[in-house]
Structures are given as C-alpha cells and as structure tokens.
C-alpha cells in the first residue's frame, strides 16, 4: 500500500498559506482487495535532508492507530512566518505491515503577523512637478482612445543591490487590482488576474514566489505591472457606477525577503522610492477589453539595464482595514490553447474566426503589420443570421481588444488584464482574410485539478458532459460566476448552490469553494442575511445584499456539499455560526414555518418555461432542506443539541408544508414539475403520497410530450428524482431529447457550453431577449450530477467517499457507460455495459474504502465476479436481493461483475 496524492489544505505543495490548523491529506494505492489503513505516521521537518534521514524535527506523529487519511491537523512545533515544512507519511495496512514513506511534499507558511509587512501600497499620484509636460506627453495618449474612464496599467520598479551570495529569496505580492510581478525581467509565476476577487474592503490575498534563482550579485530590479481588475474596473452591470467599485485606481504591494548565506537578511518593499510609468497598455478592463500600442513598449523595463530616470515617483497610498491573507486556492491560469477552426466572412465584409468552442479567456494574435496598423478583435459567443458577430447579449461589456503594430517583424500579442466569454472573433484592420494561425484561443479559469471523466454510448450525453465542463471552466474564474460574457459576471449564490453537486464531480473544487465561502460570509449582513451575490461591492450592495430563498441558502448548501464530497468538517465549523444566523433570520421572520416573509427579490425557479411554481412553496421547501443539512452538519462537528433542534425544525416545516401545499390526492399547490421535484427530493410528502406525487410529475412531463419546464432550481432534481422514484426511462428520455426544450436542443443548435435559457436561440424565435441571454451559464448543467451519480452510478455514501455507493441505472438509449472520479481517498471507477440480456459492471474501489454495489438486475439473476460465482469471490458479500436490484458489499480493489 502506498500513500499518494499528498495534499495540504486541499492543495498540492501550497506556498504562502496561513491556515490554522494546517491539515494534511493523502490517498492510497494498493494491489489486491480489501486493503485498509490501520495506522499512519506523519513526519514533518524543516529540511528535506533531515526528512530523508527519518528525522521529523517539526513533528513526528509516531504510529497513530487510525484509518483516517483526510485533513489530519498538523500537531507539531508551532510554525513561524515563512517557514517551509517538508512532510511525508507512511501507513500500516490490515495486517499491520507498513508501507514505505511517501514521496516528500511540502507546504510553506506565509506572513502570519501584520508586523511581518513592511511594504506600503503604491500607485499613481498626479505628477508632481511638470504637470503640463506630463499631460501632453502621457495623459492625452492614455485617455484619447479611452471613452469609458479606464486607468492605464502602471509599471513600477525598484532597483536594488545584492552584495553577498543568496540562500533563499521570496517575494510576497498583491494588488488592489490585478498584477504581474517581475524580478530581473522574469515574470513571477504564470498565474493570471492575481490576486483574484475578494471583497477588498475586508480581505486581500497575497501571492508568494520563490525567486532564489532570479537574483544575482550586483544590480537587481523588482517590478510590478498593475491593472484595474475587479478593484476599480468595470463589474457587475451597475450602469450608474460602472467602475471604481472598491477604489478609484489600482495599487501594488510587494516585499522581497532575501536571506543570505551568511545568515543575514534584507527586505526590499514597495515604498515611495519606487518609480512609475505607463507603457504599451493604454487600458485593460475585464469587461471592455484591452488597447495595446506596441510602439509604446518600454522594452526591458523590469531589468537592471533599463534607464528609468524619466519615470515619476510613485504615490504612497493609505492602508485600510483589509486583512492580507495567504493563498487559499488555485490561481487563474491559461490551461489550454484552442486553435482557430475556420474563417468566414459576414455580409458586412467583416472577417470572423471560429474557435469552435465557447470559452472564457483571451486571444493570442500573430501578425505582420505596418507600423501603426490598428488591429481590432471583437469577441462574441454567437453569429447573427447574416454571419456577423452577435454582441447584443454582452450589454455594455465591449469585449474588444485593439493591437497597434510596431511594424517590426512578426508580432505576437495577447492582452494582459482582460478576459472575455467568446467563441468567435471578428478581426478588423488586417486588410485580407486572416489566416488560422493569426488567432489562437487561450482558455483561462481557476486551475482546479480535473477529477471526473464520463463517456457512454450516447454521443449526445458525451457532448452534454463536455458542455458542462466547459460551462464550469468558463465560470470558475476566481469566484463562481453566472456568466463570463456580458457585463455581469457576479458570484450569484443561487447558481452555485444548484451546480456545486456537479462541479465537485468534474473538478476538485474543495479549495475554490472554501475560499468563496469566506467571500460569502464576508458579505453576510449583521442581521444574518446571506446575499444574492458574493463578493459584494459598495455599489452592488443595496441591490443584491438581501437574501432570496435558494440564493441565500447557498450559505448552508455549499459548505454541506464540500463536507459531503471531501469529508471536510473544517468548513462546517468555520461557518457554523454564520449558517446558524441565516437560519435564525429565516425563522424569526417566519414563525409559522412557512417561508413567506423576508424573501426579498425572490427569484424562485428562475427562467422556468411558463411553469411558475408557488413561490412560498419553493421557499419553504428550501428552508426545510437547509434544516436537514444543518442537522447533518451539526452532528458532524459534535453539536448534538443543535442537530436535534434542526431535526425538529425540519419536522415542523414539513408539517406546515403538507398542510399548506399538499392536497389529499397527492397534487401540490401550483403543481409544476419543480414543485413535485422539490417535495420529493427534500422529503416533504407523507410516505403514501410519494408515488402518487411522482405520477403527477410524470403526467406533467407527458402532457408536454416528454419535455421539461423547469428553471434554474427545478432542473437539478429532474432526472435524479425521476430515476430515484422508479421513472428512470423517462429520465433518459428527457436527457436524450433533442426537440425544444431540452439540453439536446441546444446541442443540436451547435452549443458547446450550457446556455442560460432553454430558448436562448430557437429556430422559430431566433435569439431571446438580448438583455439577458448568455450562452455560457452553468446552471442547467446541474444534470451532470445525474450523469455521474445515476447513469454511471458513482455516489458518496459517507462524507469524503469513505463509503461509496455504486448504483448504475442503465436506461433506454444507452448501452454502455464508463466514468471515474478521483476522490481525495483515491480513484473510483465504474464501467457497465448492458446488451443481449447481459449486464457487466467493472468497478474500482480505492483502498481504505468500501462500496455497496447495486446491480440493476432480476431477483433470480446469476451473479458472477471475475468469471466465478460472486459469493466465492474475495471481498464480495451479497447483502440483499429484491426485484430489480442485487446489492453487494465490496472492499477495495477491482471487481468484474457479470450478470445473466
Ligand atoms: C444572473 C443569474 C442569477 C439571476 C438571479 C441573472 O442576471 O445571470 O444567473 O441567478 O440573475 O435572478
């Protein structure tokens, strides 16, 4: 048995973290069956050599009898700022034999004390002396092409001398804005749009870079390039206050710690001695795009050889109350290049490049142009009927990048501080037809490790799965957004609580959503209200800071999902009080257990198809479900009393729900698909009425010739509830449907992502209302949970997948399916085929876990495993047989079931 996949705080070898406690996780690999961990030993040292000699001078846990591998708190010597900790683990198996020590992993602490910070915020101050010259020389250049008040990015630099050999050097940097940092001309790291979006009034993340190899004895330079980003640029569709949400212009904060071989130390920090200039980027805004004038390039401005005498002194900006905090999650990165597929010409004559994939990111442009030739790239998700770029749905987000050529040789450029949601690029100013090589899509998102794969015999479902992943990539960009395209891009709480269950199959979202939960609690009001969007800004606060049912409820649902998928009780403990406050807020406003008051903007089953569910019914159903989740979480953190009280709350809400909304014949008030789905999934019906209610649901779908009517909220439950309530064939029919409205309809129209609306574009009506019609919105992708959990059949039966449920539901139209999920405990896989009356199922269950396998077969079926009678197979125990399912318990290992 081997410990693998070592993680610290859900990340691999994180640097600059300040979590307390620090928690360590590993997965296990082993041959054979029924392998279990019975003990572990963790060793942590301050130097890898030490560790390899078997010395854990920071912590040697000794042999600890435990089967746990998830999130074990570090209990060694207290750690100080900037300390790097190397660690490894070995494990004992079921026969008390121990493994080798794992490969070495590490984590590094950030700056833990406010007094560790010597840096000052620096930025642009109005030029002190020769203001007239400044205006002529710079100001006009930077504002004449900038009709929306953007601030040009600032280049800032500081030369310094090093006179002794360096042992270790580290940069800590961040921005109120977005930045790149450099040392001696080299960019630090390859993350984009750092430090990402938080409510900068409350907290700002800093990044940590090892620059030991970047320094030389002699003259050195540290530098920063800072743009507006979420801090002062456009965001959130607030047309009254489009910019300057957190402040009027960006600023930079950095400090370099140099430790010399002789033991001495030097700190170089941002302060008034740095100098500043503008450069080739005229402006760069997340929504509007970037304008870049290659003739204004500063050359090696971040290198020692550069003469910056003409640069101005920076302005020192005030500190505010925001807490500087260490790394919490994966940064935004360019994760893939998408080559251009084809070039077409619109009736207007405009050249359109098709990347074949709707994505979030930017374009890399490759041209040979004349000096001053201006090339404009407009981005859009769709084409109009005449082949021109469709941009009406982007609102005020101009999504246009302009490159002004230097005229020297081949020029390769991509914008620095902007991101667009697009598939098509209109290229203007090139004179002739652009070549495919001219434009490459650069895909950007928070770089979460992929954890899921899904493939089956239906190409439609495979495409649907792919579209779901692209929807997630496009919208997990520092925070979970609604869309990457129009002038909105906000952290809508309702959207993520619906999609999280799918998101956590396809990618490792543990740290990403742990970070966002902090954003959400930062945005919670004193009254306990979780808002509609997080992070908040001063300008969007009044509109969206009130919590709507199913939106504000994300504050309970998201931590619960992370707890379930990753076995993380830390997120529960950290936010328990915030969740309690939200629950108390709802309760104090709704003493009779129907959620009728304080529902604020109450979006209800948003974007349903003319099937309006009773708003109070929906709100009450969500409240009931939150009570269940609260009870489960309270129990998980040892708050038994609270668990009891939430269970009681659930009972009271359920009774009130039945009295108010459930009729004796099993019908529900307002009777929409969503009403039945929520009542069934959240257990809000008397037992005997469940099958009847399910039949009403089926009847509604049939009355629409097998079509759905659900909006954002109902859709998540649709196929799952149908399958779970004995209507699996209908679930498959909906999932495979290709006529309007359905997932398949959008795919037939060429969708490569999930659309915001079922009718985003239809043959009869064309485009929906441009004011709100994104083609990259992940909500309707919440069916992904059914693909993994029901079609392939991989579900967690206990938190963190310590117990696994493998319960595939083959259905009409799909005769084989294969999926895998990389849980933190290890790799889980399920593969089935179902043809000619034979059902085959191969499963892989990671060491230290057990799985209950449900074979969807007749009661009298003959079950073989690896070719022999299942009952004689190692690690296989049949536990139940009833009509339609044979249930089997297995230990870890690979199993091949065959049923006749
Ligand atoms: C957003 C949604 C969000 C909704 C709430 C829209 O503008 O794009 O995704 O949940 O508003 O009504």
């Amino acid at each position: 048995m081997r410990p693998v996949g070592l993680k610290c705080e859900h990340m691999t070898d994180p640097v600059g973290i300040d979590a307390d406690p620090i928690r360590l996780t590993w997965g296990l690999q082993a041959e054979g069956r029924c392998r279990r961990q019975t003990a572990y030993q963790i060793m942590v040292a301050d130097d890898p050599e030490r560790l390899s000699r078997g010395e854990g001078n920071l912590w040697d846990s000794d042999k600890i009898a435990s089967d746990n591998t998830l999130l074990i708190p570090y209990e060694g010597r207290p750690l100080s700022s900037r300390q790097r900790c190397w660690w490894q683990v070995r494990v004992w198996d079921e026969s008390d034999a121990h493994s080798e020590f794992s490969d070495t992993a590490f984590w590094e602490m950030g700056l833990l004390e406010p007094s560790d910070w010597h840096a000052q915020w620096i930025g642009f101050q109005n030029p002190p002396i020769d203001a007239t010259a400044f205006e002529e020389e710079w100001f006009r250049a930077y504002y004449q092409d900038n009709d929306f008040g953007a601030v040009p990015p600032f280049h800032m630099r500081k030369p310094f001398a090093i006179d002794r050999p360096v042992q270790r050097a580290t940069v800590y940097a961040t921005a109120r804005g977005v930045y790149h940092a450099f040392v001696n001309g080299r960019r630090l790291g390859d993350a984009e749009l750092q430090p990402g979006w938080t409510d900068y009034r409350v907290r700002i993340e800093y990044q940590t870079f090892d620059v030991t190899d970047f320094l030389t004895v002699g003259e050195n330079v540290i530098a920063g390039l800072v743009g507006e980003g979420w801090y002062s640029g456009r965001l959130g569709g607030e047309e009254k206050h489009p910019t300057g949400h957190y402040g009027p212009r960006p600023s930079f904060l950095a400090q370099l710690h140099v430790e010399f071989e002789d033991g001495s130390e030097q700190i170089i920090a941002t302060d008034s001695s740095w100098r500043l200039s503008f450069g080739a980027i005229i402006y760069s805004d997340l929504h509007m795009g970037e304008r870049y004038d290659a003739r204004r390039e500063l050359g090696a401005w971040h290198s020692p050889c550069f003469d910056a005498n003409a640069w101005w002194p920076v302005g020192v900006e005030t500190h505010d109350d925001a807490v500087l905090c260490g790394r919490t999650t994966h940064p935004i990165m360019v994760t893939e290049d998408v080559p251009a597929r084809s070039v077409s010409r619109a009736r207007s004559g405009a050249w359109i490049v098709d990347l074949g994939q709707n994505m979030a990111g930017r374009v890399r442009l490759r041209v040979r142009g004349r000096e001053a030739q201006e090339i404009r790239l407009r981005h859009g998700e769709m084409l109009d009927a005449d082949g021109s770029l469709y941009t009406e749905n982007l609102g005020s987000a101009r999504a246009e990048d302009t490159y002004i050529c230097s005229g020297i040789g081949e020029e390769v450029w991509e914008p620095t501080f902007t991101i667009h949601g697009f598939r098509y690029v209109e290229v203007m100013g090139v004179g002739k037809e652009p070549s495919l090589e001219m434009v490459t899509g650069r895909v950007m998102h928070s770089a979460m490790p992929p954890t899921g794969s899904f493939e089956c015999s239906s190409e439609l479902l495979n495409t649907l799965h792919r579209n779901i992943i692209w929807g997630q990539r496009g919208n997990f960009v520092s925070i979970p957004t609604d869309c990457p395209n129009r002038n909105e891009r906000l952290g809508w709480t309702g959207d993520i609580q619906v999609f999280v269950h799918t998101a956590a199959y396809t990618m490792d979202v543990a740290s990403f959503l742990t970070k966002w939960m902090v954003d959400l609690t930062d945005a919670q009001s004193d009254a306990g209200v979780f808002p509609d969007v997080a992070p908040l800004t001063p300008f969007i606060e009044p509109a969206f800071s009130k919590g709507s049912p199913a939106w504000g409820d994300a504050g309970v649902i998201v931590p619960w999902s992370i707890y379930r998928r990753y076995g993380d009780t830390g997120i529960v403990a950290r936010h328990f009080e915030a969740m309690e406050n939200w629950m108390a807020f709802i309760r104090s406003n709704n003493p009779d257990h129907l959620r009728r008051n304080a529902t604020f903007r109450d979006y209800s089953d948003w974007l349903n198809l003319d099937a309006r569910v009773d708003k109070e019914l929906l709100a009450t159903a969500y409240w009931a479900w939150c009570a269940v989740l609260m009870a489960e979480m309270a129990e998980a953190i040892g708050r038994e009393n609270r668990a009891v009280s939430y269970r009681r709350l659930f009972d009271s809400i359920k009774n009130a729900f039945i009295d108010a909304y459930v009729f004796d014949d099993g019908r529900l008030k307002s009777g929409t698909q969503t009403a039945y789905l929520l009542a069934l999934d959240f257990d809000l019906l008397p037992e005997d009425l469940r099958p009847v209610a399910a039949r009403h649901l089926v009847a509604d779908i049939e009355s629409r010739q097998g079509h759905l009517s659900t909006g954002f909220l109902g859709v998540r439950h649709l196929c799952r509830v149908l399958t779970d309530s004995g209507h699996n064939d209908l679930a498959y029919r909906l999932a495979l449907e290709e006529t309007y409205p359905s997932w398949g309809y959008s795919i037939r129209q060429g969708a490569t992502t999930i659309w915001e609306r079922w009718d985003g574009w239809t043959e009869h009506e064309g485009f929906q209302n441009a004011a709100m019609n994104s083609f990259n919105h992940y909500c309707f992708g919440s069916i992904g949970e059914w693909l993994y959990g029901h079609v392939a059949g991989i579900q967690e039966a206990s938190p963190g997948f310590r117990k696994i449920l493998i319960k595939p539901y083959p259905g009409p139209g799909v005769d084989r399916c294969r999926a895998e999920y990389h849980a933190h405990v290890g790799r889980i896989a399920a593969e089935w085929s179902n043809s000619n009356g034979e059902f085959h199922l191969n499963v892989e269950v990671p060491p230290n876990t057990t799985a209950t396998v449900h074979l969807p077969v007749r009661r009298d079926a003959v079950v073989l495993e690896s070719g022999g009678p299942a009952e004689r197979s190692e690690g296989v125990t049949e536990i139940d047989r009833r009509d339609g399912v044979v249930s089997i318990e297995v230990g870890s290992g690979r199993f091949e079931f065959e049923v006749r």
Side-chain angles (χ1 to χ4, degrees):
M1 193 143 78
R2 285 196 327 130
V4 292
L6 274 61
K7 291 191 181 69
C8 171
E9 288 303 312
H10 298 304
M11 293 177 278
T12 305
D13 297 342
V15 292
I17 59 172
D18 53 14
D20 182 19
I22 298 285
R23 299 165 309 161
L24 306 173
T25 295
W26 58 91
L28 294 168
Q29 265 176 9
E31 294 305 315
R33 290 188 174 172
C34 302
R35 307 301 307 278
R36 284 182 299 117
Q37 171 188 301
T38 54
Y40 65 80
Q41 180 181 14
I42 298 173
M43 288 236 250
V44 186
D46 56 9
D47 142 19
E49 304 280 290
R50 263 212 166 104
L51 203 56
S52 62
R53 291 198 303 270
E55 247 181 82
N57 68 327
L58 292 176
W59 187 35
D60 182 345
S61 72
D62 280 331
K63 181 176 176 183
I64 303 221
S66 165
D67 60 0
N68 194 11
T69 64
L70 298 177
L71 298 160
I72 314 271
Y74 166 82
E75 282 172 5
R77 300 228 310 259
L79 300 176
S80 47
S81 286
R82 317 192 346 88
Q83 186 159 11
R84 181 169 282 210
C85 306
W86 305 85
W87 71 287
Q88 55 186 19
V89 56
R90 65 173 166 171
V91 296
W92 279 259
D93 69 6
E94 60 290 339
S95 47
D96 206 30
H98 65 74
S99 71
E100 298 284 299
F101 269 106
S102 65
D103 291 346
T104 304
F106 65 84
W107 78 87
E108 188 180 297
M109 303 307 290
L111 299 178
L112 305 181
E113 304 296 332
S115 60
D116 291 329
W117 283 98
H118 305 276
Q120 295 177 298
W121 287 104
I122 58 168
F124 172 74
Q125 64 174 358
N126 288 326
I129 325 151
D130 196 351
T132 340
F134 167 78
E135 254 159 52
E136 305 235 313
E137 189 50 33
W138 296 98
F139 201 82
R140 254 192 254 145
Y142 288 92
Y143 288 97
Q144 71 191 1
D145 296 311
N146 167 359
D147 55 352
F148 58 93
V151 178
F154 313 144
H155 299 63
M156 289 171 272
R157 75 194 297 278
K158 160 90 185 171
F160 60 96
I162 295 281
D163 59 3
R164 286 154 287 168
V166 172
Q167 171 87 33
R168 170 184 173 208
T170 315
V171 168
Y172 301 89
T174 189
R176 294 191 289 212
V178 284
Y179 77 99
H180 288 174
F182 306 84
V183 167
N184 292 338
R186 283 163 73 185
R187 183 169 150 202
L188 309 189
D190 45 9
E192 303 290 342
L193 302 176
Q194 300 177 99
W197 188 4
T198 51
D199 185 336
Y200 303 109
R201 298 167 296 175
V202 184
R203 74 185 70 240
I204 303 177
E205 280 192 18
Y206 61 88
Q207 286 67 46
T208 304
F209 308 95
D210 183 344
V211 296
T212 312
D213 297 337
F214 290 39
L215 298 183
T216 52
V217 173
E219 183 82 343
N220 294 266
V221 165
I222 177 169
L225 171 62
V226 180
E228 301 205 89
W230 298 274
Y231 183 81
S232 62
R234 292 208 162 214
L235 64 81
E238 267 308 297
E239 295 316 325
K240 258 194 256 146
H241 298 283
T243 61
H245 281 254
Y246 297 100
R249 56 186 176 225
S251 50
F252 183 52
L253 184 84
Q255 76 189 35
L256 162 64
H257 287 245
V258 188
E259 293 158 51
F260 295 101
E261 282 179 6
D262 65 9
S264 60
E265 232 191 277
Q266 183 182 345
I267 294 179
I268 291 104
T270 43
D271 61 18
S272 59
S273 69
W274 287 52
R275 296 181 80 80
L276 175 148
S277 173
F278 302 152
I281 309 175
I282 310 297
Y283 61 77
S284 195
D285 180 90
L286 294 173
H287 289 193
M288 304 304 266
E290 178 163 320
R291 183 176 175 86
Y292 187 93
D293 186 343
R295 298 166 304 171
R296 291 184 173 274
E297 273 172 10
L298 297 173
W301 64 277
H302 28 37
S303 298
C305 54
F306 185 80
D307 176 5
N309 272 333
W311 287 30
W312 321 295
V314 295
V316 171
E317 311 250 343
T318 48
H319 274 278
D320 49 27
D321 295 336
V323 176
L324 292 170
C325 55
R327 176 170 171 190
T328 53
T329 186
H330 315 283
I332 300 170
M333 308 256 260
V334 172
T335 60
E336 189 178 328
D337 282 359
V338 177
R341 286 269 192 86
S342 61
V343 179
S344 60
R345 193 157 207 192
R347 206 172 298 148
S348 64
W351 293 108
I352 309 279
V353 177
D354 180 5
L355 296 170
Q357 177 59 56
N358 197 351
M359 51 176 259
R362 61 191 185 213
V363 154
R364 187 205 291 132
L365 176 72
R366 205 178 272 280
V367 280
R368 281 176 189 281
R370 296 180 317 279
E371 185 185 343
Q373 185 176 338
E374 195 168 314
I375 297 169
R376 280 165 64 205
L377 306 172
R378 292 206 309 142
H379 303 72
E381 298 180 284
M382 299 289 270
L383 297 183
D384 248 323
D386 65 357
S388 60
L389 192 73
Y390 178 75
T391 55
E392 281 80 347
N393 67 333
L394 304 184
S396 63
R398 201 180 284 164
E400 180 177 314
D401 297 336
T402 305
Y403 181 75
I404 303 169
C405 299
S406 69
I408 306 167
E410 187 187 56
E411 301 179 47
V412 181
W413 172 77
E414 55 191 283
T416 306
F417 295 134
T418 189
I419 179 166
H420 312 296
F422 67 105
R423 163 176 173 169
Y424 300 96
V425 186
E426 182 186 278
V427 183
M428 284 166 292
V430 285
K432 54 178 193 313
E433 176 170 345
S435 68
L436 292 180
E437 290 67 43
M438 188 180 268
V439 166
T440 305
R442 306 268 285 158
V443 180
M444 289 162 73
H445 54 90
S446 291
M448 300 155 291
T451 49
S453 68
F454 175 92
E455 203 262 333
C456 71
S457 58
S458 155
E459 264 324 301
L460 185 83
L461 292 190
N462 294 341
T463 305
L464 175 58
H465 175 255
R466 221 179 22 245
N467 291 1
I468 290 169
I469 293 200
W470 277 100
Q472 183 168 350
R473 293 174 112 187
N475 283 294
F476 279 47
V477 179
S478 181
I479 61 151
T481 59
D482 56 339
C483 57
N485 33 48
R486 66 167 171 252
N487 58 336
E488 181 155 5
R489 312 187 196 182
L490 292 174
W492 283 97
T493 48
D495 303 35
I496 187 58
Q497 68 83 0
V498 168
F499 187 63
V500 56
H501 318 278
T502 293
Y505 272 119
T506 70
M507 298 179 198
D508 185 345
V509 297
S511 67
F512 178 86
L513 289 176
T514 297
K515 179 262 177 194
W516 182 76
M517 258 319 287
V518 176
D519 296 335
L520 183 57
T521 42
D522 282 347
Q524 189 176 29
S525 77
D526 293 342
V529 176
F530 285 126
D532 296 344
V533 300
L536 283 175
T537 82
F539 299 155
I540 54 183
E541 213 149 1
F544 298 135
S545 64
K546 301 286 170 43
S548 308
W551 267 252
D553 296 334
V556 171
I557 300 164
V558 170
W560 174 79
S561 315
I562 299 301
Y563 159 63
R564 288 291 305 182
R565 282 297 164 81
Y566 305 102
D568 186 352
T569 50
I571 190 170
V572 175
R574 177 168 186 179
H575 300 293
F576 196 71
E577 204 186 313
M579 296 190 258
E580 290 239 89
N581 291 343
W582 169 240
M583 294 301 282
F585 171 83
I586 302 172
R587 190 170 191 168
S588 65
N589 281 289
N590 297 286
D592 60 358
H593 298 111
L594 296 176
R595 194 175 179 183
R596 295 190 280 217
N597 308 309
T599 55
F600 305 113
R601 290 167 76 103
D602 208 349
Y603 311 100
S604 197
D605 192 21
W606 188 244
L607 300 185
N608 66 78
L609 291 169
D610 227 357
R612 257 170 260 167
V613 60
D614 184 277
K615 282 191 166 184
E616 295 174 8
L617 176 154
L618 179 139
T620 305
Y622 258 92
W623 183 21
W625 190 44
C626 285
V628 173
L629 307 188
M630 288 300 289
E632 194 183 330
M633 288 189 281
E635 203 168 278
I637 59 167
R639 303 284 301 273
E640 260 312 321
N641 290 343
R642 301 306 299 141
V644 171
S645 117
Y646 282 114
R647 267 183 231 117
R648 263 195 232 121
L649 174 63
F650 171 76
D651 291 340
S652 309
I653 301 172
K654 178 172 177 175
N655 289 334
F657 183 96
I658 294 173
D659 284 349
Y661 311 123
V662 184
F663 304 116
D664 293 345
D665 61 356
R667 284 179 199 279
L668 293 181
K669 190 171 176 201
S670 73
T672 65
Q673 294 176 14
T674 294
Y676 291 109
L677 290 165
L678 297 181
L680 283 161
D681 213 15
F682 296 161
D683 185 23
L684 296 171
L685 298 169
E687 216 35 52
D688 57 321
L689 287 186
R690 289 182 61 86
V692 195
R695 281 199 293 279
H696 290 306
L697 166 65
V698 170
D700 185 283
I701 297 170
E702 309 232 289
S703 75
R704 297 166 190 266
Q705 287 77 46
H707 288 99
L708 51 79
S709 66
T710 47
F712 273 28
L713 303 180
V715 68
R716 171 183 166 227
H717 308 271
L718 191 56
C719 290
R720 282 175 45 246
V721 165
L722 285 170
T723 295
D724 284 341
S725 60
H727 302 283
N728 187 47
D729 288 9
L730 185 55
Y732 270 79
R733 183 170 159 200
L734 286 173
L736 295 171
E737 182 59 57
E738 292 186 34
T739 58
Y740 175 80
S742 63
W743 292 274
Y745 182 75
S746 70
I747 291 171
R748 247 188 45 210
Q749 312 311 320
T752 59
T753 35
I754 301 292
W755 292 356
E756 176 174 24
R757 296 171 175 268
W758 298 114
D759 56 354
W761 188 91
T762 60
E763 284 130 313
H764 303 299
E765 308 285 335
F767 287 114
Q768 244 281 8
N769 182 354
M772 219 189 71
N773 194 20
S774 135
F775 292 90
N776 196 355
H777 237 74
Y778 52 59
C779 240
F780 290 156
S782 58
I783 187 180
E785 193 184 351
W786 178 76
L787 296 178
Y788 280 93
H790 288 70
V791 177
I794 301 175
Q795 293 183 32
E796 86 270 10
S798 78
F801 285 88
R802 290 296 309 279
K803 290 205 174 104
I804 299 161
L805 180 63
I806 306 275
K807 193 174 185 182
Y809 287 92
V814 177
D815 57 19
R816 59 170 183 83
C817 175
R818 177 173 62 189
E820 60 173 0
Y821 175 66
H822 288 267
H824 287 187
V825 290
R827 177 179 186 269
I828 304 164
E831 176 174 6
W832 58 258
S833 67
N834 186 33
S835 52
N836 308 326
E838 280 195 20
F839 182 76
H840 290 253
L841 173 67
N842 296 346
V843 301
E844 186 178 331
V845 177
N848 210 34
T849 68
T850 56
T852 305
V853 179
H854 290 259
L855 298 165
V857 292
R858 291 189 329 269
R859 180 193 287 264
D860 58 355
V862 178
V863 180
L864 303 176
E865 195 283 309
S866 293
E871 62 275 16
R872 274 191 253 138
S873 264
E874 187 198 347
V876 175
T877 319
E878 187 173 311
I879 47 174
D880 192 28
R881 245 171 212 259
R882 53 186 75 196
D883 231 14
V885 212
V886 174
S887 309
I888 286 170
E889 193 75 27
V890 300
S892 74
R894 289 165 201 259
F895 301 85
E896 292 180 20
F897 295 102
E898 199 179 318
V899 189
R900 302 213 179 108

